[in-house]
Short mmCIF file of all heavy atoms in Angstrom, two decimals:
data_model
loop_
_atom_site.label_atom_id
_atom_site.label_comp_id
_atom_site.label_asym_id
_atom_site.label_seq_id
_atom_site.Cartn_x
_atom_site.Cartn_y
_atom_site.Cartn_z
N ASP R 1 -146.46 -16.73 -17.48
CA ASP R 1 -147.19 -15.52 -17.12
C ASP R 1 -146.66 -14.90 -15.83
O ASP R 1 -146.83 -13.70 -15.64
CB ASP R 1 -148.66 -15.80 -17.01
CG ASP R 1 -149.35 -15.91 -18.36
OD1 ASP R 1 -148.77 -15.52 -19.38
OD2 ASP R 1 -150.50 -16.38 -18.41
N GLU R 2 -146.07 -15.70 -14.98
CA GLU R 2 -145.55 -15.15 -13.72
C GLU R 2 -144.45 -14.13 -13.97
O GLU R 2 -144.38 -13.10 -13.29
CB GLU R 2 -145.07 -16.26 -12.81
CG GLU R 2 -146.18 -17.17 -12.30
CD GLU R 2 -147.33 -16.41 -11.64
OE1 GLU R 2 -147.08 -15.53 -10.80
OE2 GLU R 2 -148.49 -16.69 -11.98
N GLY R 3 -143.58 -14.40 -14.94
CA GLY R 3 -142.53 -13.45 -15.26
C GLY R 3 -143.08 -12.15 -15.81
O GLY R 3 -142.62 -11.05 -15.47
N ALA R 4 -144.11 -12.24 -16.65
CA ALA R 4 -144.75 -11.05 -17.21
C ALA R 4 -145.44 -10.25 -16.11
O ALA R 4 -145.39 -9.02 -16.10
CB ALA R 4 -145.74 -11.43 -18.29
N LYS R 5 -146.05 -10.96 -15.16
CA LYS R 5 -146.68 -10.27 -14.03
C LYS R 5 -145.64 -9.54 -13.18
O LYS R 5 -145.88 -8.42 -12.73
CB LYS R 5 -147.46 -11.26 -13.18
CG LYS R 5 -148.73 -11.78 -13.86
CD LYS R 5 -149.44 -12.79 -12.99
CE LYS R 5 -150.64 -13.39 -13.68
NZ LYS R 5 -151.29 -14.39 -12.82
N ALA R 6 -144.50 -10.17 -12.97
CA ALA R 6 -143.43 -9.53 -12.19
C ALA R 6 -142.91 -8.30 -12.92
O ALA R 6 -142.66 -7.25 -12.30
CB ALA R 6 -142.30 -10.53 -11.92
N LEU R 7 -142.75 -8.40 -14.22
CA LEU R 7 -142.31 -7.26 -15.02
C LEU R 7 -143.34 -6.16 -14.96
O LEU R 7 -143.00 -4.97 -14.84
CB LEU R 7 -142.04 -7.68 -16.46
CG LEU R 7 -141.62 -6.55 -17.39
CD1 LEU R 7 -140.34 -5.87 -16.93
CD2 LEU R 7 -141.44 -7.11 -18.81
N ALA R 8 -144.61 -6.51 -15.05
CA ALA R 8 -145.68 -5.52 -14.99
C ALA R 8 -145.61 -4.75 -13.66
O ALA R 8 -145.76 -3.52 -13.62
CB ALA R 8 -147.05 -6.19 -15.14
N HIS R 9 -145.37 -5.47 -12.59
CA HIS R 9 -145.26 -4.82 -11.28
C HIS R 9 -144.08 -3.85 -11.27
O HIS R 9 -144.19 -2.72 -10.77
CB HIS R 9 -145.09 -5.88 -10.18
CG HIS R 9 -144.96 -5.30 -8.82
ND1 HIS R 9 -146.03 -4.68 -8.18
CD2 HIS R 9 -143.90 -5.21 -7.98
CE1 HIS R 9 -145.60 -4.25 -6.99
NE2 HIS R 9 -144.34 -4.57 -6.86
N ALA R 10 -142.98 -4.25 -11.85
CA ALA R 10 -141.78 -3.38 -11.93
C ALA R 10 -142.08 -2.16 -12.79
O ALA R 10 -141.60 -1.04 -12.50
CB ALA R 10 -140.59 -4.15 -12.46
N LEU R 11 -142.85 -2.32 -13.86
CA LEU R 11 -143.15 -1.20 -14.75
C LEU R 11 -143.97 -0.13 -14.07
O LEU R 11 -143.92 1.03 -14.45
CB LEU R 11 -143.89 -1.70 -16.01
CG LEU R 11 -143.04 -2.43 -17.03
CD1 LEU R 11 -143.92 -2.95 -18.17
CD2 LEU R 11 -141.94 -1.53 -17.56
N GLU R 12 -144.71 -0.52 -13.06
CA GLU R 12 -145.50 0.48 -12.32
C GLU R 12 -144.59 1.48 -11.63
O GLU R 12 -145.00 2.61 -11.39
CB GLU R 12 -146.41 -0.22 -11.31
CG GLU R 12 -147.51 -1.03 -11.99
CD GLU R 12 -148.31 -1.87 -11.02
OE1 GLU R 12 -148.06 -1.80 -9.79
OE2 GLU R 12 -149.18 -2.62 -11.49
N GLN R 13 -143.35 1.08 -11.35
CA GLN R 13 -142.38 1.96 -10.68
C GLN R 13 -141.38 2.57 -11.66
O GLN R 13 -140.61 3.45 -11.28
CB GLN R 13 -141.59 1.15 -9.64
CG GLN R 13 -142.42 0.28 -8.75
CD GLN R 13 -143.23 1.07 -7.75
OE1 GLN R 13 -142.73 2.02 -7.19
NE2 GLN R 13 -144.49 0.70 -7.56
N ASN R 14 -141.35 2.08 -12.91
CA ASN R 14 -140.34 2.44 -13.89
C ASN R 14 -140.37 3.92 -14.28
O ASN R 14 -141.42 4.47 -14.56
CB ASN R 14 -140.55 1.60 -15.15
CG ASN R 14 -139.69 2.04 -16.29
OD1 ASN R 14 -138.48 2.08 -16.19
ND2 ASN R 14 -140.33 2.40 -17.39
N THR R 15 -139.18 4.50 -14.33
CA THR R 15 -139.05 5.87 -14.84
C THR R 15 -137.89 5.99 -15.82
O THR R 15 -137.52 7.10 -16.21
CB THR R 15 -138.82 6.88 -13.70
OG1 THR R 15 -137.63 6.51 -12.98
CG2 THR R 15 -140.01 6.93 -12.76
N SER R 16 -137.32 4.84 -16.26
CA SER R 16 -136.18 4.92 -17.17
C SER R 16 -136.29 4.05 -18.42
O SER R 16 -135.82 4.43 -19.47
CB SER R 16 -134.89 4.60 -16.41
OG SER R 16 -134.95 3.31 -15.86
N VAL R 17 -136.89 2.88 -18.33
CA VAL R 17 -136.98 1.98 -19.48
C VAL R 17 -138.04 2.52 -20.44
O VAL R 17 -139.16 2.79 -20.06
CB VAL R 17 -137.34 0.54 -19.04
CG1 VAL R 17 -137.55 -0.36 -20.24
CG2 VAL R 17 -136.25 -0.02 -18.15
N THR R 18 -137.64 2.67 -21.73
CA THR R 18 -138.58 3.20 -22.71
C THR R 18 -139.02 2.15 -23.74
O THR R 18 -140.10 2.27 -24.30
CB THR R 18 -137.99 4.41 -23.46
OG1 THR R 18 -136.79 3.99 -24.11
CG2 THR R 18 -137.70 5.55 -22.49
N LYS R 19 -138.18 1.15 -24.02
CA LYS R 19 -138.52 0.14 -25.01
C LYS R 19 -138.30 -1.25 -24.43
O LYS R 19 -137.29 -1.51 -23.77
CB LYS R 19 -137.65 0.30 -26.26
CG LYS R 19 -137.93 1.59 -26.99
CD LYS R 19 -137.12 1.70 -28.24
CE LYS R 19 -137.42 3.05 -28.92
NZ LYS R 19 -136.73 3.21 -30.17
N ILE R 20 -139.27 -2.13 -24.70
CA ILE R 20 -139.22 -3.50 -24.16
C ILE R 20 -139.53 -4.47 -25.30
O ILE R 20 -140.53 -4.30 -25.99
CB ILE R 20 -140.24 -3.68 -23.02
CG1 ILE R 20 -140.01 -2.66 -21.92
CG2 ILE R 20 -140.21 -5.11 -22.48
CD1 ILE R 20 -141.14 -2.57 -20.92
N ASN R 21 -138.70 -5.47 -25.45
CA ASN R 21 -138.93 -6.51 -26.45
C ASN R 21 -139.15 -7.83 -25.72
O ASN R 21 -138.23 -8.38 -25.12
CB ASN R 21 -137.75 -6.62 -27.41
CG ASN R 21 -138.03 -7.61 -28.54
OD1 ASN R 21 -138.87 -8.49 -28.41
ND2 ASN R 21 -137.33 -7.45 -29.63
N LEU R 22 -140.37 -8.34 -25.80
CA LEU R 22 -140.73 -9.60 -25.15
C LEU R 22 -141.18 -10.63 -26.18
O LEU R 22 -142.04 -11.46 -25.91
CB LEU R 22 -141.82 -9.35 -24.10
CG LEU R 22 -141.43 -8.47 -22.93
CD1 LEU R 22 -142.64 -8.14 -22.08
CD2 LEU R 22 -140.36 -9.13 -22.10
N GLU R 23 -140.61 -10.56 -27.36
CA GLU R 23 -140.95 -11.53 -28.42
C GLU R 23 -140.69 -12.94 -27.96
O GLU R 23 -139.65 -13.23 -27.37
CB GLU R 23 -140.13 -11.26 -29.68
CG GLU R 23 -140.68 -10.17 -30.55
CD GLU R 23 -139.93 -10.06 -31.87
OE1 GLU R 23 -139.62 -11.10 -32.49
OE2 GLU R 23 -139.66 -8.92 -32.27
N ALA R 24 -141.62 -13.83 -28.28
CA ALA R 24 -141.46 -15.27 -28.08
C ALA R 24 -141.01 -15.62 -26.65
O ALA R 24 -140.05 -16.34 -26.45
CB ALA R 24 -140.47 -15.84 -29.10
N ASN R 25 -141.74 -15.10 -25.68
CA ASN R 25 -141.43 -15.37 -24.27
C ASN R 25 -142.52 -16.19 -23.58
O ASN R 25 -142.61 -16.19 -22.36
CB ASN R 25 -141.20 -14.06 -23.52
CG ASN R 25 -139.77 -13.59 -23.62
OD1 ASN R 25 -138.92 -14.06 -22.88
ND2 ASN R 25 -139.51 -12.68 -24.54
N HIS R 26 -143.35 -16.85 -24.35
CA HIS R 26 -144.40 -17.72 -23.80
C HIS R 26 -145.35 -16.97 -22.88
O HIS R 26 -145.78 -17.51 -21.86
CB HIS R 26 -143.79 -18.94 -23.09
CG HIS R 26 -142.82 -19.71 -23.94
ND1 HIS R 26 -143.25 -20.51 -24.98
CD2 HIS R 26 -141.49 -19.76 -23.94
CE1 HIS R 26 -142.19 -21.04 -25.56
NE2 HIS R 26 -141.10 -20.61 -24.95
N ILE R 27 -145.64 -15.75 -23.23
CA ILE R 27 -146.57 -14.93 -22.42
C ILE R 27 -147.98 -15.26 -22.84
O ILE R 27 -148.32 -15.25 -24.03
CB ILE R 27 -146.26 -13.43 -22.60
CG1 ILE R 27 -144.87 -13.12 -22.07
CG2 ILE R 27 -147.33 -12.57 -21.90
CD1 ILE R 27 -144.37 -11.73 -22.37
N GLY R 28 -148.82 -15.56 -21.87
CA GLY R 28 -150.22 -15.89 -22.12
C GLY R 28 -151.11 -14.71 -21.83
O GLY R 28 -150.66 -13.58 -21.60
N GLY R 29 -152.40 -14.98 -21.80
CA GLY R 29 -153.40 -13.94 -21.60
C GLY R 29 -153.27 -13.21 -20.29
O GLY R 29 -153.39 -11.98 -20.22
N GLU R 30 -153.00 -13.94 -19.21
CA GLU R 30 -152.88 -13.30 -17.89
C GLU R 30 -151.66 -12.37 -17.83
O GLU R 30 -151.74 -11.29 -17.27
CB GLU R 30 -152.78 -14.37 -16.80
CG GLU R 30 -154.09 -15.13 -16.61
CD GLU R 30 -155.27 -14.24 -16.27
OE1 GLU R 30 -155.13 -13.37 -15.41
OE2 GLU R 30 -156.32 -14.42 -16.89
N GLY R 31 -150.56 -12.80 -18.42
CA GLY R 31 -149.39 -11.95 -18.47
C GLY R 31 -149.63 -10.70 -19.31
O GLY R 31 -149.22 -9.60 -18.93
N ALA R 32 -150.30 -10.86 -20.45
CA ALA R 32 -150.61 -9.73 -21.30
C ALA R 32 -151.53 -8.74 -20.60
O ALA R 32 -151.35 -7.52 -20.70
CB ALA R 32 -151.24 -10.21 -22.61
N LYS R 33 -152.50 -9.27 -19.87
CA LYS R 33 -153.42 -8.38 -19.14
C LYS R 33 -152.67 -7.60 -18.04
O LYS R 33 -152.92 -6.40 -17.85
CB LYS R 33 -154.58 -9.16 -18.52
CG LYS R 33 -155.57 -9.64 -19.58
CD LYS R 33 -156.85 -10.18 -18.97
CE LYS R 33 -156.66 -11.53 -18.39
NZ LYS R 33 -157.93 -12.15 -17.93
N ALA R 34 -151.75 -8.25 -17.37
CA ALA R 34 -150.96 -7.56 -16.33
C ALA R 34 -150.10 -6.47 -16.94
O ALA R 34 -150.01 -5.36 -16.41
CB ALA R 34 -150.12 -8.58 -15.58
N LEU R 35 -149.48 -6.79 -18.08
CA LEU R 35 -148.64 -5.77 -18.76
C LEU R 35 -149.50 -4.61 -19.25
O LEU R 35 -149.11 -3.45 -19.14
CB LEU R 35 -147.89 -6.41 -19.93
CG LEU R 35 -146.75 -7.35 -19.53
CD1 LEU R 35 -146.30 -8.18 -20.73
CD2 LEU R 35 -145.59 -6.58 -18.93
N ALA R 36 -150.67 -4.91 -19.79
CA ALA R 36 -151.57 -3.86 -20.26
C ALA R 36 -151.97 -2.93 -19.14
O ALA R 36 -151.97 -1.70 -19.28
CB ALA R 36 -152.80 -4.48 -20.91
N CYS R 37 -152.26 -3.50 -17.98
CA CYS R 37 -152.63 -2.70 -16.82
C CYS R 37 -151.48 -1.79 -16.41
O CYS R 37 -151.68 -0.60 -16.13
CB CYS R 37 -153.03 -3.63 -15.68
SG CYS R 37 -153.64 -2.76 -14.21
N ALA R 38 -150.28 -2.32 -16.40
CA ALA R 38 -149.10 -1.52 -16.04
C ALA R 38 -148.86 -0.40 -17.05
O ALA R 38 -148.50 0.71 -16.68
CB ALA R 38 -147.89 -2.41 -15.92
N LEU R 39 -149.06 -0.71 -18.33
CA LEU R 39 -148.81 0.29 -19.38
C LEU R 39 -149.81 1.43 -19.31
O LEU R 39 -149.48 2.54 -19.74
CB LEU R 39 -148.86 -0.38 -20.76
CG LEU R 39 -147.68 -1.28 -21.07
CD1 LEU R 39 -147.94 -2.06 -22.35
CD2 LEU R 39 -146.40 -0.48 -21.19
N LYS R 40 -150.98 1.18 -18.77
CA LYS R 40 -151.96 2.26 -18.62
C LYS R 40 -151.46 3.29 -17.62
O LYS R 40 -151.78 4.47 -17.73
CB LYS R 40 -153.31 1.70 -18.15
CG LYS R 40 -154.04 0.91 -19.21
CD LYS R 40 -155.31 0.35 -18.64
CE LYS R 40 -156.01 -0.57 -19.61
NZ LYS R 40 -157.23 -1.17 -19.01
N GLN R 41 -150.68 2.84 -16.64
CA GLN R 41 -150.18 3.72 -15.59
C GLN R 41 -148.80 4.30 -15.92
O GLN R 41 -148.47 5.40 -15.51
CB GLN R 41 -150.10 2.96 -14.28
CG GLN R 41 -151.42 2.47 -13.78
CD GLN R 41 -151.23 1.60 -12.55
OE1 GLN R 41 -150.42 1.89 -11.69
NE2 GLN R 41 -152.03 0.54 -12.45
N ASN R 42 -147.99 3.52 -16.61
CA ASN R 42 -146.61 3.91 -16.90
C ASN R 42 -146.57 4.88 -18.06
O ASN R 42 -147.10 4.60 -19.13
CB ASN R 42 -145.80 2.65 -17.23
CG ASN R 42 -144.37 2.96 -17.57
OD1 ASN R 42 -144.09 3.63 -18.56
ND2 ASN R 42 -143.45 2.47 -16.77
N THR R 43 -145.94 6.02 -17.87
CA THR R 43 -145.85 7.00 -18.95
C THR R 43 -144.46 7.04 -19.58
O THR R 43 -144.21 7.86 -20.47
CB THR R 43 -146.22 8.40 -18.44
OG1 THR R 43 -145.35 8.75 -17.35
CG2 THR R 43 -147.67 8.45 -17.97
N THR R 44 -143.56 6.19 -19.14
CA THR R 44 -142.19 6.18 -19.64
C THR R 44 -141.99 5.26 -20.83
O THR R 44 -141.30 5.61 -21.78
CB THR R 44 -141.22 5.77 -18.51
OG1 THR R 44 -141.45 6.62 -17.38
CG2 THR R 44 -139.78 5.89 -18.94
N VAL R 45 -142.63 4.10 -20.81
CA VAL R 45 -142.49 3.15 -21.91
C VAL R 45 -143.17 3.72 -23.16
O VAL R 45 -144.32 4.11 -23.13
CB VAL R 45 -143.09 1.76 -21.54
CG1 VAL R 45 -143.06 0.83 -22.74
CG2 VAL R 45 -142.34 1.15 -20.38
N THR R 46 -142.41 3.74 -24.27
CA THR R 46 -142.96 4.24 -25.53
C THR R 46 -143.14 3.13 -26.56
O THR R 46 -143.75 3.36 -27.60
CB THR R 46 -142.04 5.32 -26.14
OG1 THR R 46 -140.74 4.77 -26.33
CG2 THR R 46 -141.98 6.53 -25.22
N GLU R 47 -142.59 1.94 -26.28
CA GLU R 47 -142.72 0.83 -27.23
C GLU R 47 -142.55 -0.49 -26.49
O GLU R 47 -141.62 -0.68 -25.69
CB GLU R 47 -141.64 0.95 -28.31
CG GLU R 47 -141.72 -0.11 -29.37
CD GLU R 47 -140.68 0.09 -30.44
OE1 GLU R 47 -140.23 1.24 -30.67
OE2 GLU R 47 -140.30 -0.90 -31.07
N ILE R 48 -143.47 -1.43 -26.79
CA ILE R 48 -143.35 -2.78 -26.25
C ILE R 48 -143.75 -3.77 -27.35
O ILE R 48 -144.73 -3.56 -28.06
CB ILE R 48 -144.20 -2.99 -24.98
CG1 ILE R 48 -143.96 -4.39 -24.38
CG2 ILE R 48 -145.67 -2.73 -25.24
CD1 ILE R 48 -144.50 -4.55 -22.97
N THR R 49 -142.94 -4.78 -27.52
CA THR R 49 -143.18 -5.80 -28.55
C THR R 49 -143.49 -7.13 -27.87
O THR R 49 -142.70 -7.61 -27.05
CB THR R 49 -141.95 -5.95 -29.47
OG1 THR R 49 -141.69 -4.68 -30.08
CG2 THR R 49 -142.18 -6.99 -30.54
N LEU R 50 -144.63 -7.69 -28.24
CA LEU R 50 -145.08 -8.96 -27.67
C LEU R 50 -145.40 -9.98 -28.77
O LEU R 50 -146.25 -10.85 -28.59
CB LEU R 50 -146.33 -8.72 -26.81
CG LEU R 50 -146.11 -7.89 -25.56
CD1 LEU R 50 -147.40 -7.32 -25.04
CD2 LEU R 50 -145.44 -8.75 -24.50
N LEU R 51 -144.71 -9.88 -29.88
CA LEU R 51 -144.96 -10.79 -30.99
C LEU R 51 -144.60 -12.23 -30.59
O LEU R 51 -143.75 -12.46 -29.73
CB LEU R 51 -144.12 -10.41 -32.20
CG LEU R 51 -144.43 -9.04 -32.82
CD1 LEU R 51 -143.39 -8.70 -33.87
CD2 LEU R 51 -145.82 -9.02 -33.40
N TYR R 52 -145.26 -13.19 -31.24
CA TYR R 52 -144.98 -14.62 -31.05
C TYR R 52 -145.18 -15.09 -29.62
O TYR R 52 -144.41 -15.87 -29.08
CB TYR R 52 -143.57 -14.98 -31.54
CG TYR R 52 -143.32 -14.48 -32.94
CD1 TYR R 52 -142.40 -13.45 -33.16
CD2 TYR R 52 -144.00 -15.01 -34.03
CE1 TYR R 52 -142.18 -12.97 -34.44
CE2 TYR R 52 -143.78 -14.53 -35.31
CZ TYR R 52 -142.87 -13.52 -35.50
OH TYR R 52 -142.66 -13.02 -36.77
N ASN R 53 -146.23 -14.58 -28.98
CA ASN R 53 -146.67 -15.05 -27.68
C ASN R 53 -148.09 -15.57 -27.83
O ASN R 53 -148.72 -15.40 -28.87
CB ASN R 53 -146.60 -13.93 -26.65
CG ASN R 53 -145.19 -13.60 -26.23
OD1 ASN R 53 -144.53 -14.37 -25.57
ND2 ASN R 53 -144.69 -12.44 -26.68
N ASN R 54 -148.61 -16.18 -26.82
CA ASN R 54 -149.95 -16.76 -26.88
C ASN R 54 -150.88 -15.96 -25.98
O ASN R 54 -151.41 -16.45 -24.98
CB ASN R 54 -149.90 -18.23 -26.45
CG ASN R 54 -151.20 -18.95 -26.70
OD1 ASN R 54 -151.98 -18.52 -27.55
ND2 ASN R 54 -151.44 -20.02 -25.99
N ILE R 55 -151.09 -14.67 -26.34
CA ILE R 55 -151.84 -13.79 -25.46
C ILE R 55 -153.36 -13.98 -25.54
O ILE R 55 -154.07 -13.57 -24.63
CB ILE R 55 -151.49 -12.30 -25.74
CG1 ILE R 55 -151.86 -11.90 -27.14
CG2 ILE R 55 -150.02 -12.04 -25.45
CD1 ILE R 55 -151.76 -10.42 -27.39
N GLY R 56 -153.85 -14.60 -26.61
CA GLY R 56 -155.28 -14.88 -26.72
C GLY R 56 -156.13 -13.64 -26.90
O GLY R 56 -155.63 -12.51 -26.92
N ASP R 57 -157.44 -13.86 -26.98
CA ASP R 57 -158.37 -12.77 -27.21
C ASP R 57 -158.45 -11.80 -26.03
O ASP R 57 -158.50 -10.58 -26.22
CB ASP R 57 -159.78 -13.31 -27.50
CG ASP R 57 -159.85 -14.03 -28.83
OD1 ASP R 57 -158.98 -13.82 -29.70
OD2 ASP R 57 -160.80 -14.83 -29.01
N GLU R 58 -158.46 -12.33 -24.80
CA GLU R 58 -158.56 -11.45 -23.63
C GLU R 58 -157.32 -10.60 -23.47
O GLU R 58 -157.40 -9.43 -23.13
CB GLU R 58 -158.82 -12.28 -22.38
CG GLU R 58 -160.22 -12.81 -22.31
CD GLU R 58 -160.50 -13.50 -20.98
OE1 GLU R 58 -159.89 -13.12 -19.96
OE2 GLU R 58 -161.34 -14.40 -20.98
N GLY R 59 -156.16 -11.20 -23.72
CA GLY R 59 -154.91 -10.44 -23.64
C GLY R 59 -154.87 -9.36 -24.71
O GLY R 59 -154.44 -8.22 -24.44
N ALA R 60 -155.31 -9.70 -25.91
CA ALA R 60 -155.34 -8.72 -27.00
C ALA R 60 -156.30 -7.58 -26.69
O ALA R 60 -155.96 -6.40 -26.93
CB ALA R 60 -155.76 -9.40 -28.31
N LYS R 61 -157.44 -7.90 -26.12
CA LYS R 61 -158.41 -6.85 -25.76
C LYS R 61 -157.81 -5.91 -24.71
O LYS R 61 -157.95 -4.69 -24.82
CB LYS R 61 -159.68 -7.48 -25.23
CG LYS R 61 -160.74 -6.46 -24.88
CD LYS R 61 -162.02 -7.11 -24.38
CE LYS R 61 -162.99 -6.01 -24.02
NZ LYS R 61 -164.21 -6.54 -23.43
N ALA R 62 -157.14 -6.46 -23.71
CA ALA R 62 -156.52 -5.64 -22.68
C ALA R 62 -155.44 -4.73 -23.29
O ALA R 62 -155.33 -3.56 -22.92
CB ALA R 62 -155.91 -6.53 -21.59
N LEU R 63 -154.64 -5.27 -24.22
CA LEU R 63 -153.60 -4.46 -24.86
C LEU R 63 -154.20 -3.38 -25.73
O LEU R 63 -153.68 -2.27 -25.80
CB LEU R 63 -152.67 -5.36 -25.66
CG LEU R 63 -151.78 -6.29 -24.82
CD1 LEU R 63 -151.10 -7.33 -25.69
CD2 LEU R 63 -150.77 -5.49 -24.01
N GLU R 64 -155.32 -3.67 -26.40
CA GLU R 64 -156.01 -2.65 -27.20
C GLU R 64 -156.50 -1.51 -26.31
O GLU R 64 -156.41 -0.34 -26.67
CB GLU R 64 -157.16 -3.28 -27.97
CG GLU R 64 -156.73 -4.16 -29.09
CD GLU R 64 -157.88 -4.97 -29.71
OE1 GLU R 64 -159.06 -4.71 -29.37
OE2 GLU R 64 -157.59 -5.86 -30.51
N GLU R 65 -157.02 -1.86 -25.15
CA GLU R 65 -157.49 -0.84 -24.20
C GLU R 65 -156.32 0.01 -23.70
O GLU R 65 -156.45 1.23 -23.57
CB GLU R 65 -158.20 -1.51 -23.03
CG GLU R 65 -159.54 -2.10 -23.43
CD GLU R 65 -160.17 -2.94 -22.31
OE1 GLU R 65 -159.60 -3.03 -21.19
OE2 GLU R 65 -161.24 -3.52 -22.55
N ALA R 66 -155.20 -0.63 -23.44
CA ALA R 66 -154.01 0.12 -23.01
C ALA R 66 -153.53 1.04 -24.13
O ALA R 66 -153.16 2.19 -23.87
CB ALA R 66 -152.89 -0.85 -22.62
N GLN R 67 -153.57 0.55 -25.37
CA GLN R 67 -153.16 1.38 -26.51
C GLN R 67 -154.07 2.60 -26.66
O GLN R 67 -153.60 3.70 -26.95
CB GLN R 67 -153.17 0.56 -27.80
CG GLN R 67 -152.73 1.31 -29.02
CD GLN R 67 -151.24 1.57 -29.02
OE1 GLN R 67 -150.47 0.65 -29.29
NE2 GLN R 67 -150.82 2.76 -28.72
N ALA R 68 -155.35 2.40 -26.43
CA ALA R 68 -156.30 3.51 -26.53
C ALA R 68 -156.02 4.57 -25.45
O ALA R 68 -156.13 5.76 -25.71
CB ALA R 68 -157.74 3.00 -26.39
N ARG R 69 -155.63 4.12 -24.28
CA ARG R 69 -155.34 5.05 -23.19
C ARG R 69 -153.96 5.69 -23.36
O ARG R 69 -153.73 6.80 -22.90
CB ARG R 69 -155.41 4.32 -21.85
CG ARG R 69 -155.22 5.28 -20.69
CD ARG R 69 -155.35 4.58 -19.39
NE ARG R 69 -156.73 4.62 -18.94
CZ ARG R 69 -157.16 4.14 -17.81
NH1 ARG R 69 -156.33 3.52 -17.01
NH2 ARG R 69 -158.42 4.23 -17.47
N ARG R 70 -153.03 4.96 -24.01
CA ARG R 70 -151.67 5.44 -24.20
C ARG R 70 -151.31 5.49 -25.68
O ARG R 70 -150.51 4.70 -26.15
CB ARG R 70 -150.70 4.50 -23.48
CG ARG R 70 -150.67 4.51 -21.99
CD ARG R 70 -149.83 5.61 -21.39
NE ARG R 70 -148.61 5.92 -22.10
CZ ARG R 70 -147.47 5.22 -22.03
NH1 ARG R 70 -147.38 4.17 -21.27
NH2 ARG R 70 -146.41 5.62 -22.71
N PRO R 71 -151.89 6.41 -26.45
CA PRO R 71 -151.59 6.46 -27.89
C PRO R 71 -150.13 6.79 -28.18
O PRO R 71 -149.65 6.54 -29.30
CB PRO R 71 -152.53 7.56 -28.42
CG PRO R 71 -152.91 8.36 -27.22
CD PRO R 71 -152.84 7.43 -26.04
N ASP R 72 -149.40 7.30 -27.21
CA ASP R 72 -147.98 7.61 -27.38
C ASP R 72 -147.09 6.38 -27.25
O ASP R 72 -145.90 6.44 -27.48
CB ASP R 72 -147.55 8.66 -26.38
CG ASP R 72 -147.73 8.19 -24.94
OD1 ASP R 72 -148.77 7.58 -24.65
OD2 ASP R 72 -146.82 8.42 -24.11
N CYS R 73 -147.67 5.25 -26.86
CA CYS R 73 -146.92 4.00 -26.66
C CYS R 73 -147.31 3.00 -27.75
O CYS R 73 -148.47 2.63 -27.87
CB CYS R 73 -147.23 3.42 -25.28
SG CYS R 73 -146.34 1.88 -24.94
N PHE R 74 -146.33 2.57 -28.53
CA PHE R 74 -146.56 1.59 -29.59
C PHE R 74 -146.55 0.20 -28.98
O PHE R 74 -145.53 -0.25 -28.46
CB PHE R 74 -145.52 1.70 -30.68
CG PHE R 74 -145.67 0.70 -31.79
CD1 PHE R 74 -146.80 0.67 -32.57
CD2 PHE R 74 -144.67 -0.23 -32.02
CE1 PHE R 74 -146.96 -0.26 -33.58
CE2 PHE R 74 -144.80 -1.17 -33.04
CZ PHE R 74 -145.95 -1.19 -33.82
N ILE R 75 -147.70 -0.49 -29.00
CA ILE R 75 -147.82 -1.82 -28.47
C ILE R 75 -147.98 -2.79 -29.64
O ILE R 75 -149.01 -2.80 -30.31
CB ILE R 75 -149.03 -1.93 -27.50
CG1 ILE R 75 -148.87 -0.90 -26.38
CG2 ILE R 75 -149.12 -3.35 -26.93
CD1 ILE R 75 -150.07 -0.78 -25.46
N ASN R 76 -146.97 -3.58 -29.91
CA ASN R 76 -146.93 -4.48 -31.05
C ASN R 76 -147.12 -5.91 -30.58
O ASN R 76 -146.24 -6.48 -29.94
CB ASN R 76 -145.60 -4.32 -31.79
CG ASN R 76 -145.56 -5.04 -33.11
OD1 ASN R 76 -146.56 -5.61 -33.57
ND2 ASN R 76 -144.41 -5.07 -33.74
N TYR R 77 -148.28 -6.49 -30.91
CA TYR R 77 -148.57 -7.85 -30.46
C TYR R 77 -149.17 -8.72 -31.54
O TYR R 77 -149.51 -9.87 -31.29
CB TYR R 77 -149.48 -7.84 -29.23
CG TYR R 77 -150.83 -7.20 -29.48
CD1 TYR R 77 -151.91 -7.96 -29.85
CD2 TYR R 77 -151.00 -5.84 -29.35
CE1 TYR R 77 -153.14 -7.38 -30.09
CE2 TYR R 77 -152.22 -5.24 -29.57
CZ TYR R 77 -153.29 -6.03 -29.95
OH TYR R 77 -154.50 -5.44 -30.20
N THR R 78 -149.34 -8.19 -32.74
CA THR R 78 -149.96 -9.02 -33.81
C THR R 78 -148.97 -9.27 -34.94
O THR R 78 -148.03 -8.56 -35.14
CB THR R 78 -151.21 -8.32 -34.39
OG1 THR R 78 -150.84 -7.05 -34.90
CG2 THR R 78 -152.27 -8.21 -33.35
#
């Protein structure tokens, strides 16, 4: 989750990366929540894939909330 949190922090400043693939990176709920928070603020990312991670119910809920706020960003986690 520490790596996902670091990436989330970087995404808050991002103005160039549009697609991110984080499949099977051992991301847990805390990492997913951090990424979701960053995606709510970041308007550059249009697609993020988080398949095959262990984000749990809380991480999924956070990502759903981010998706609702950012309908232009495809968040794939299931």
Side-chain angles (χ1 to χ4, degrees):
D1 282 347
E2 293 307 312
K5 289 178 184 179
L7 178 59
H9 180 70
L11 286 176
E12 292 172 3
Q13 313 289 319
N14 171 58
T15 59
S16 59
V17 175
T18 60
K19 295 182 181 183
I20 303 167
N21 185 338
L22 297 172
E23 277 187 43
N25 273 279
H26 306 287
I27 297 171
E30 292 302 314
K33 288 192 284 187
L35 289 167
C37 184
L39 289 170
K40 289 177 186 177
Q41 298 174 39
N42 179 296
T43 58
T44 306
V45 174
T46 58
E47 183 178 334
I48 185 167
T49 301
L50 293 160
L51 297 171
Y52 309 111
N53 286 290
N54 190 23
I55 62 170
D57 291 340
E58 286 186 29
K61 182 178 178 185
L63 291 168
E64 288 170 9
E65 290 171 2
Q67 182 72 76
R69 185 177 269 182
R70 289 277 323 281
D72 61 317
C73 180
F74 178 62
I75 303 173
N76 189 6
Y77 61 93
T78 58

